[in-house]
Amino acid sequence: MGYVAGIDLGGTKIYTVLADLEGGIRGETKVATRPEEGFAAVVGRMARTVDDLLARAGADRGDLLAVAAGAPGPLNPVTGVVHQAPNLGWREAPLREALAERLGGVPVTVENDANLGALGEHVYGAGRGVNDLVYVTVSTGIGGGLVFGGRLYRGAGYGAGEVGHLPVAPGPACRCGGRGCLEAVASGTAIARRAREEAEAGRAPEILARAGGDASAVSARTVTGAAEAGDPVARGILAEAAAYLGRGLAVVVNLLNPAVIVLGGGVMEARHLFWDGMEAALRRLALAAALDGLAVVPAALEGRSGAIGAVALALELHRKGGVDPG
C-alpha cells in the first residue's frame, strides 16, 4: 500500500488531495496560500498539507510514492521551474526542487495548474471521453489547459494554453506586464477592480454598503452578492466581464476548434449571473464552422479539477518509476 498526492497551488489557496494507488481519494485539505510571505513559506505550506493528510490516513512520508503539483503561470515541467506566476509574485522559482527537498526526496513533478484542470476534467469530469477539449479556469486570474488527441498539449516551450493573456481589450494593465489581457478584464480580480472604481466614484452604493463602506474591501464575491440582490451596477460589471470572456473564448474556438470547452474556477460559482452573456458573445464572434457541435459546459469537478488532475499525473509519475511524464 502507498499513496500519491496532488496539489493545486493557486493565488489564494492550496488544495491538496491524497489518493491510493487505485486512484481512490483518501483525504483532501485546503489552506490559504499567503504568497506575500514568500516562496519558501508557500512551499513549506504545500508540504505541510501533504504531511497532514498522511497523518490523517495513519501513514507517513515512507508511504508517499509520488507528488504532482500544479502552479499558475508559464513553467517548464521538465525542470520544474515556474518562469512567471504574477499572482504569486514568482519569477524563475524552482518549485519541483524545493518541494521535493521539503518532502524528503519523494519524486515530484510540476505542471501548469490549468493543464491539470484540463487533465482532471478529461480523465474524471465533464470532458471524460472527449479527445479535444479546452479547459478555462476563471478565478483570481484566468488560465487554460488544452487536451488534443486525448493528451495534454503543452506547446514547443511548454507555454500553450495561456488563455488569460489573450489581448482582448485596450487599456487595463495586466500583472504579466501586458495590457488588455483577458485576465485583466474578466477575472475575479478584474471584477473586483471595476467595482472598486465604481464605488470610489460614488456610483455603486449597494456594493460599497456590502463592503462595510470600505471600497478597498470590495471583492468579486461582494459584486456577485450585490448582483444576486438585483443591483444594476453589479449586474453591469458582470455583464461586461461576461462579454470579454465570450470574446476570448471566440478566439480560442476559431483557432483550435475544440469539441468541448469546460469552464471552471471560483468565479464560475456565480455563472448563473453571466453565463448567457458570455455564451452570446462567444456565438456572435466565433465562426459558424468552429461552433458546429461545440459544447460549452461547467466543470464537473468544480474547484477540485486541478487537484484531481494532479492526482492523475502523480499516479502516472509513480507508474513510470519517478520519471517525469512527457
Side-chain angles (χ1 to χ4, degrees):
M1 176 61 70
Y3 298 92
V4 300
I7 306 173
D8 182 16
L9 171 64
T12 57
K13 67 180 182 298
I14 298 166
Y15 198 140
T16 303
V17 174
L18 187 72
D20 60 34
L21 299 186
E22 299 299 318
I25 305 303
R26 294 303 187 92
E28 305 179 37
T29 190
K30 186 190 301 183
V31 300
T33 306
R34 299 205 291 272
E36 68 279 2
E37 295 181 5
F39 174 71
V42 171
V43 173
R45 199 166 291 117
M46 293 169 73
R48 283 194 296 277
T49 63
V50 176
D51 287 335
D52 289 347
L53 289 176
L54 286 168
R56 292 184 207 173
D60 57 31
R61 285 187 183 176
D63 301 302
L64 184 64
L65 302 177
V67 174
L75 57 79
N76 187 324
V78 175
T79 64
V81 172
V82 179
H83 296 308
Q84 183 181 15
N87 293 325
L88 295 172
W90 291 1
R91 282 185 179 273
E92 303 305 323
L95 180 58
R96 184 180 68 179
E97 178 184 353
L99 185 58
E101 181 179 352
R102 291 297 296 261
L103 289 171
V106 66
V108 172
T109 190
V110 172
E111 183 57 83
N112 176 271
D113 58 351
N115 282 353
L116 291 181
L119 184 62
E121 291 292 336
H122 170 61
V123 176
Y124 298 109
R128 191 169 186 174
V130 177
N131 283 332
D132 301 296
L133 70 88
V134 174
Y135 172 78
V136 178
T137 174
V138 186
S139 190
T140 306
I142 295 180
L146 313 177
V147 172
F148 288 105
R151 296 182 60 83
L152 278 178
Y153 178 75
R154 296 179 172 91
Y158 311 109
E162 289 293 339
V163 176
H165 300 290
L166 292 173
V168 297
C174 181
R175 279 189 271 188
C176 73
R179 300 191 73 87
C181 295
L182 182 60
E183 180 171 299
V185 293
S187 65
T189 301
I191 290 168
R193 188 201 71 244
R194 282 285 296 115
R196 285 194 293 271
E197 290 171 352
E198 294 298 293
E200 288 167 354
R203 294 189 292 263
E206 175 65 22
I207 292 172
L208 187 61
R210 286 175 174 268
D214 180 3
S216 67
V218 171
S219 67
R221 195 171 296 276
T222 311
V223 180
T224 57
E228 289 273 14
D231 178 57
V233 177
R235 287 179 175 250
I237 291 168
L238 292 180
E240 180 181 77
Y244 280 129
L245 181 58
R247 180 180 298 183
L249 294 181
V251 174
V252 170
V253 168
N254 287 346
L255 180 66
L256 300 175
N257 189 207
V260 174
I261 294 177
V262 181
L263 294 175
V267 174
M268 285 297 121
E269 294 174 8
R271 60 182 175 269
H272 59 287
L273 294 170
F274 61 86
W275 189 280
D276 289 348
M278 172 275 298
E279 195 158 21
L282 163 61
R283 296 193 179 278
R284 184 176 69 254
L285 296 170
L287 295 171
L291 286 170
D292 187 30
L294 173 71
V296 184
V297 299
L301 302 175
E302 299 178 335
R304 304 167 72 231
S305 302
I308 297 297
V311 164
L313 193 64
L315 287 168
E316 187 177 353
L317 177 64
H318 171 62
R319 286 194 294 268
K320 291 188 173 184
V323 177
D324 283 313

